[in-house]
Amino acid sequence: MENYKDVKMGIRKLNIALAVTGRGSEGRDEDSYSYCFNDNGGFIGVFDGFGEMDSTTYSKLGTRTGGYIASRLAAESTIKMFQNGNFTFSEMDSIKLTSDLKKYIDKVKKNFADNQDTALVPTTASIIACDYSKKDSIMFEYLWAGNSRGYFLDKNGLCQITEDDVVEQISPIDETKKPRVINLVNAETDFKINIKTVRTDAPTILVTATDGAYGSFATPMEFEYALLYTLNRAKNVAQWESLLRRLVGEFAKDDFAIMIVAFGFDDFKDLKHYFFERTKKMFNEYIEPISKAKEENSTSKVEELWNNYKADYYR
């Protein structure tokens, strides 16, 4: 389209946003999300409460688990930080957010925990802040702790920006291992908010997701295709949200949360058109071959496909 090169009028345009949440077959409604935008920027964030690490129940808060409470506190604290104008798109954002989350969770723990000695109140966090106040490009700031992930999706496909905080980094197509998550936001131990920045002058979709969402699919290729397939079938943003929730829900064992925003598109039809060729490419070069490889029980073929895909995924 003509305005793809027009940064001032095109790329700084935010007009598509959606949130997809649900409870998996083994979930406990412990994922949460938050977002906020104004004329100059905003953020999206997802938070995965770790009830398996802290099943402490809070009678004063409706007998919710520590994981449930933590994800909601982290979501609310991030909103407050943004509304107070404390996103500066510098290393200070990591320091400030770490401090704010710690204080917020500590305060609630002291006021509401029935047994403060055992209350960890743990959660992951994956936040993407956006600054579109400049005329020539948009800056995205990725802030995270734990294994919830932040991505961008453009004409070259899905790209994972965050790096999981786990004891051992493994291939994302290795279904035999699930490494222990570390560096969780919590009330008892030290943690840090990681930070990376990305600048772009091209139309872009931002995606942030908990592991219950991306982990519902065996490979990153299938997660990307789920995003594009549902986009291609949808007639509007609301239907895209509904289709994606239904598709993730079919496979999800855990709770899931996905936040998506798009920049630089005229409307939903324009967004679909922009990613139409990428959707076909993904099906022909990855999804159909993956399906055949699974029928033949060929892990080597899936690995070969992953090796072709990951150059852009980790660019």
Side-chain angles (χ1 to χ4, degrees), residues 173 298-308:
I173 65 170
S298 174
T299 56
S300 61
K301 180 59 178 178
V302 175
E303 186 172 347
E304 179 185 336
L305 291 166
W306 163 242
N307 287 332
N308 292 336

PDB file of all heavy atoms in Angstrom, residues 173 298-308:
ATOM      1  N   ILE A 173      11.772 -26.732  19.973  1.00  0.00           N
ATOM      2  CA  ILE A 173      11.049 -27.863  19.395  1.00  0.00           C
ATOM      3  C   ILE A 173      11.305 -29.148  20.181  1.00  0.00           C
ATOM      4  O   ILE A 173      10.838 -30.211  19.791  1.00  0.00           O
ATOM      5  CB  ILE A 173      11.409 -28.077  17.909  1.00  0.00           C
ATOM      6  CG1 ILE A 173      12.884 -28.467  17.750  1.00  0.00           C
ATOM      7  CG2 ILE A 173      11.082 -26.847  17.097  1.00  0.00           C
ATOM      8  CD1 ILE A 173      13.230 -28.923  16.340  1.00  0.00           C
ATOM      9  N   SER A 298       8.994 -38.304  11.983  1.00  0.00           N
ATOM     10  CA  SER A 298      10.341 -37.891  11.588  1.00  0.00           C
ATOM     11  C   SER A 298      10.747 -36.631  12.353  1.00  0.00           C
ATOM     12  O   SER A 298      10.458 -35.508  11.933  1.00  0.00           O
ATOM     13  CB  SER A 298      10.399 -37.625  10.077  1.00  0.00           C
ATOM     14  OG  SER A 298      11.654 -37.108   9.714  1.00  0.00           O
ATOM     15  N   THR A 299      11.400 -36.817  13.480  1.00  0.00           N
ATOM     16  CA  THR A 299      11.871 -35.665  14.245  1.00  0.00           C
ATOM     17  C   THR A 299      12.994 -34.934  13.520  1.00  0.00           C
ATOM     18  O   THR A 299      13.164 -33.721  13.687  1.00  0.00           O
ATOM     19  CB  THR A 299      12.374 -36.113  15.632  1.00  0.00           C
ATOM     20  OG1 THR A 299      13.391 -37.110  15.458  1.00  0.00           O
ATOM     21  CG2 THR A 299      11.240 -36.686  16.466  1.00  0.00           C
ATOM     22  N   SER A 300      13.754 -35.646  12.713  1.00  0.00           N
ATOM     23  CA  SER A 300      14.859 -35.007  11.986  1.00  0.00           C
ATOM     24  C   SER A 300      14.325 -34.010  10.957  1.00  0.00           C
ATOM     25  O   SER A 300      14.936 -32.961  10.728  1.00  0.00           O
ATOM     26  CB  SER A 300      15.724 -36.058  11.295  1.00  0.00           C
ATOM     27  OG  SER A 300      14.974 -36.814  10.352  1.00  0.00           O
ATOM     28  N   LYS A 301      13.201 -34.311  10.342  1.00  0.00           N
ATOM     29  CA  LYS A 301      12.616 -33.392   9.371  1.00  0.00           C
ATOM     30  C   LYS A 301      12.108 -32.130  10.062  1.00  0.00           C
ATOM     31  O   LYS A 301      12.295 -31.017   9.546  1.00  0.00           O
ATOM     32  CB  LYS A 301      11.462 -34.081   8.617  1.00  0.00           C
ATOM     33  CG  LYS A 301      10.787 -33.194   7.584  1.00  0.00           C
ATOM     34  CD  LYS A 301      11.760 -32.701   6.508  1.00  0.00           C
ATOM     35  CE  LYS A 301      11.047 -31.850   5.469  1.00  0.00           C
ATOM     36  NZ  LYS A 301      11.998 -31.319   4.445  1.00  0.00           N
ATOM     37  N   VAL A 302      11.473 -32.282  11.223  1.00  0.00           N
ATOM     38  CA  VAL A 302      11.004 -31.115  11.977  1.00  0.00           C
ATOM     39  C   VAL A 302      12.195 -30.254  12.386  1.00  0.00           C
ATOM     40  O   VAL A 302      12.151 -29.021  12.299  1.00  0.00           O
ATOM     41  CB  VAL A 302      10.200 -31.543  13.218  1.00  0.00           C
ATOM     42  CG1 VAL A 302       9.831 -30.326  14.063  1.00  0.00           C
ATOM     43  CG2 VAL A 302       8.940 -32.294  12.800  1.00  0.00           C
ATOM     44  N   GLU A 303      13.273 -30.894  12.784  1.00  0.00           N
ATOM     45  CA  GLU A 303      14.479 -30.156  13.167  1.00  0.00           C
ATOM     46  C   GLU A 303      15.065 -29.413  11.973  1.00  0.00           C
ATOM     47  O   GLU A 303      15.538 -28.273  12.106  1.00  0.00           O
ATOM     48  CB  GLU A 303      15.511 -31.115  13.750  1.00  0.00           C
ATOM     49  CG  GLU A 303      16.745 -30.414  14.304  1.00  0.00           C
ATOM     50  CD  GLU A 303      17.673 -31.354  15.051  1.00  0.00           C
ATOM     51  OE1 GLU A 303      17.251 -32.482  15.350  1.00  0.00           O
ATOM     52  OE2 GLU A 303      18.810 -30.946  15.324  1.00  0.00           O
ATOM     53  N   GLU A 304      15.022 -30.036  10.811  1.00  0.00           N
ATOM     54  CA  GLU A 304      15.513 -29.383   9.595  1.00  0.00           C
ATOM     55  C   GLU A 304      14.677 -28.141   9.275  1.00  0.00           C
ATOM     56  O   GLU A 304      15.219 -27.078   8.923  1.00  0.00           O
ATOM     57  CB  GLU A 304      15.455 -30.364   8.421  1.00  0.00           C
ATOM     58  CG  GLU A 304      15.913 -29.775   7.094  1.00  0.00           C
ATOM     59  CD  GLU A 304      15.731 -30.751   5.943  1.00  0.00           C
ATOM     60  OE1 GLU A 304      15.703 -31.975   6.192  1.00  0.00           O
ATOM     61  OE2 GLU A 304      15.607 -30.283   4.794  1.00  0.00           O
ATOM     62  N   LEU A 305      13.378 -28.264   9.415  1.00  0.00           N
ATOM     63  CA  LEU A 305      12.491 -27.126   9.174  1.00  0.00           C
ATOM     64  C   LEU A 305      12.760 -26.013  10.180  1.00  0.00           C
ATOM     65  O   LEU A 305      12.773 -24.830   9.824  1.00  0.00           O
ATOM     66  CB  LEU A 305      11.038 -27.586   9.255  1.00  0.00           C
ATOM     67  CG  LEU A 305      10.568 -28.511   8.137  1.00  0.00           C
ATOM     68  CD1 LEU A 305       9.242 -29.170   8.510  1.00  0.00           C
ATOM     69  CD2 LEU A 305      10.418 -27.736   6.830  1.00  0.00           C
ATOM     70  N   TRP A 306      12.965 -26.394  11.444  1.00  0.00           N
ATOM     71  CA  TRP A 306      13.274 -25.411  12.475  1.00  0.00           C
ATOM     72  C   TRP A 306      14.587 -24.685  12.172  1.00  0.00           C
ATOM     73  O   TRP A 306      14.680 -23.459  12.320  1.00  0.00           O
ATOM     74  CB  TRP A 306      13.336 -26.081  13.840  1.00  0.00           C
ATOM     75  CG  TRP A 306      14.034 -25.271  14.894  1.00  0.00           C
ATOM     76  CD1 TRP A 306      15.167 -25.604  15.566  1.00  0.00           C
ATOM     77  CD2 TRP A 306      13.642 -23.989  15.405  1.00  0.00           C
ATOM     78  NE1 TRP A 306      15.514 -24.618  16.449  1.00  0.00           N
ATOM     79  CE2 TRP A 306      14.595 -23.612  16.374  1.00  0.00           C
ATOM     80  CE3 TRP A 306      12.591 -23.125  15.123  1.00  0.00           C
ATOM     81  CZ2 TRP A 306      14.531 -22.408  17.074  1.00  0.00           C
ATOM     82  CZ3 TRP A 306      12.525 -21.914  15.813  1.00  0.00           C
ATOM     83  CH2 TRP A 306      13.465 -21.562  16.779  1.00  0.00           C
ATOM     84  N   ASN A 307      15.583 -25.389  11.718  1.00  0.00           N
ATOM     85  CA  ASN A 307      16.864 -24.774  11.399  1.00  0.00           C
ATOM     86  C   ASN A 307      16.722 -23.760  10.261  1.00  0.00           C
ATOM     87  O   ASN A 307      17.444 -22.749  10.236  1.00  0.00           O
ATOM     88  CB  ASN A 307      17.898 -25.838  11.029  1.00  0.00           C
ATOM     89  CG  ASN A 307      18.378 -26.624  12.229  1.00  0.00           C
ATOM     90  OD1 ASN A 307      18.378 -26.113  13.351  1.00  0.00           O
ATOM     91  ND2 ASN A 307      18.774 -27.872  12.015  1.00  0.00           N
ATOM     92  N   ASN A 308      15.823 -24.011   9.331  1.00  0.00           N
ATOM     93  CA  ASN A 308      15.569 -23.052   8.253  1.00  0.00           C
ATOM     94  C   ASN A 308      14.836 -21.820   8.771  1.00  0.00           C
ATOM     95  O   ASN A 308      15.075 -20.701   8.315  1.00  0.00           O
ATOM     96  CB  ASN A 308      14.743 -23.708   7.141  1.00  0.00           C
ATOM     97  CG  ASN A 308      15.511 -24.770   6.391  1.00  0.00           C
ATOM     98  OD1 ASN A 308      16.746 -24.758   6.353  1.00  0.00           O
ATOM     99  ND2 ASN A 308      14.794 -25.706   5.788  1.00  0.00           N
TER     100      ASN A 308
END
